[in-house]
Amino acid sequence: MSIRVTVWHEYRHEKTNPVVAKLYPQGIHEAIAGHLRKNKVFNVSTATLDEPQAGLTDEKLANTDVLTWWGHTAHGDVPDAVVDRVCERVTQHGMGLLVLHSGHFSKVFKKLMGTSCDLKWREDPTEREILWVTRPGHPIVQGIDDHFILDHEEMYGEFFDIPEPETVYLISSFSGGEVFRSGCTWTRGAGKIVYFRPGHETFPTYYDANVLKVIENAVKWAAPTGENVLKFGNRKRGWVEKT
Ligand code: ZN
């Protein structure tokens, strides 16, 4: 069965910063979507902030199994109605959500986490990141060695103000000395949520084979299985199976 994945992207940096435009001429969303399209299990589409309703209409979300989210400079421009709709889709209908890099500060992620989601950061082109696998055998790190290195990335450092994750599958160390919980998962209602840290817009991170592998794995893992159907409301006595 195919997984319908919608790659959502703010898509603003590419239009204003020539460095980003050169790195990602079709936008970060197309770099991610282009990789996912190589795997026939995925039915891939994209949506961006400047489309009507931020590209996330009821119909679009009803036809999305997993949503990936990259935002940075325009979190505040995402309409609250869209945020509510996305969160409801996750918690009530089991849509998977993969939050990437600076998406940690998106309204959607903050609403689902209930914390500030703040962290320390430093933009320094000499920063090197090593991502260490902390849950060997977890489906999200399938095919990944015990670590991988990104020669140039933005630094994110602890403390990362998130609720205690259900799983931390990757921890990063940076050449500047900081560490960070770079790969985390949570469940909210019927939905699975994944956070994956790397992906600063001025670095070619979304061409890195390990990064793309983790994204691909995370989308598969977060897809609804159909087993998380939530049932609520009044329950009459007498339902117990007679023996
Ligand atoms: Zn960044």
Side-chain angles (χ1 to χ4, degrees):
M1 205 179 83
S2 78
I3 298 170
R4 300 166 300 176
V5 48
T6 300
V7 178
W8 189 88
H9 183 37
E10 175 183 282
Y11 200 24
R12 291 275 176 88
H13 287 298
E14 291 89 336
K15 295 169 183 168
T16 54
N17 182 338
V19 174
V20 185
K22 194 165 176 226
L23 261 178
Y24 297 106
Q26 314 299 318
I28 282 174
H29 54 308
E30 280 300 330
I32 295 168
H35 174 75
L36 294 176
R37 283 189 193 107
K38 293 179 198 160
N39 187 333
K40 294 296 169 219
V41 78
F42 299 123
N43 183 344
V44 185
S45 64
T46 63
T48 56
L49 177 58
D50 291 328
E51 293 169 29
Q53 301 189 54
L56 298 174
T57 58
D58 275 330
E59 193 191 351
K60 182 72 177 170
L61 289 172
N63 288 291
T64 298
D65 295 316
V66 180
L67 178 68
T68 77
W69 193 280
W70 195 107
H72 177 230
T73 193
H75 293 312
D77 292 355
V78 179
D80 288 337
V82 171
V83 174
D84 292 347
R85 200 181 293 155
V86 168
C87 293
E88 195 200 309
R89 217 50 229 176
V90 171
T91 59
Q92 302 304 306
H93 301 277
M95 181 180 75
L97 178 68
L98 169 59
V99 176
L100 299 166
H101 188 59
S102 41
H104 74 90
F105 245 0
S106 62
K107 289 191 208 170
V108 163
F109 189 59
K110 289 201 284 188
K111 180 170 176 174
L112 288 165
M113 294 295 108
T115 54
S116 77
C117 300
D118 211 344
L119 46 79
K120 299 186 181 76
W121 61 277
R122 176 172 60 248
E123 214 180 324
D124 178 340
T126 68
E127 201 81 49
R128 181 266 296 125
E129 176 176 14
I130 306 178
L131 296 102
W132 293 97
V133 171
T134 49
R135 281 292 173 103
H138 193 285
I140 299 180
V141 288
Q142 198 174 51
I144 303 290
D145 197 359
D146 68 344
H147 75 285
F148 63 98
I149 301 173
L150 299 172
D151 290 330
H152 304 284
E153 249 298 341
E154 180 181 15
M155 187 281 290
Y156 278 6
E158 296 284 345
F159 176 58
F160 182 20
D161 184 18
I162 45 172
E164 197 66 28
E166 289 162 27
T167 307
V168 177
Y169 61 89
L170 285 170
I171 289 179
S172 293
S173 67
F174 292 87
S175 45
E178 291 85 357
V179 296
F180 192 77
R181 289 168 289 171
S182 282
C184 304
T185 73
W186 300 265
T187 308
R188 287 291 180 273
K192 292 182 194 160
I193 300 167
V194 183
Y195 178 74
F196 182 42
R197 195 214 77 86
H200 189 64
E201 68 275 6
T202 58
F203 300 116
T205 302
Y206 291 116
Y207 298 112
D208 181 89
N210 286 305
V211 168
L212 291 169
K213 184 71 184 162
V214 170
I215 290 173
E216 187 181 337
N217 289 343
V219 169
K220 280 187 200 160
W221 181 82
T225 58
E227 291 161 13
N228 287 11
V229 181
L230 305 185
K231 294 175 181 171
F232 301 111
N234 179 267
R235 183 140 193 151
K236 301 254 184 300
R237 275 189 79 88
W239 62 271
V240 180
E241 195 179 8
K242 302 282 190 294
T243 54

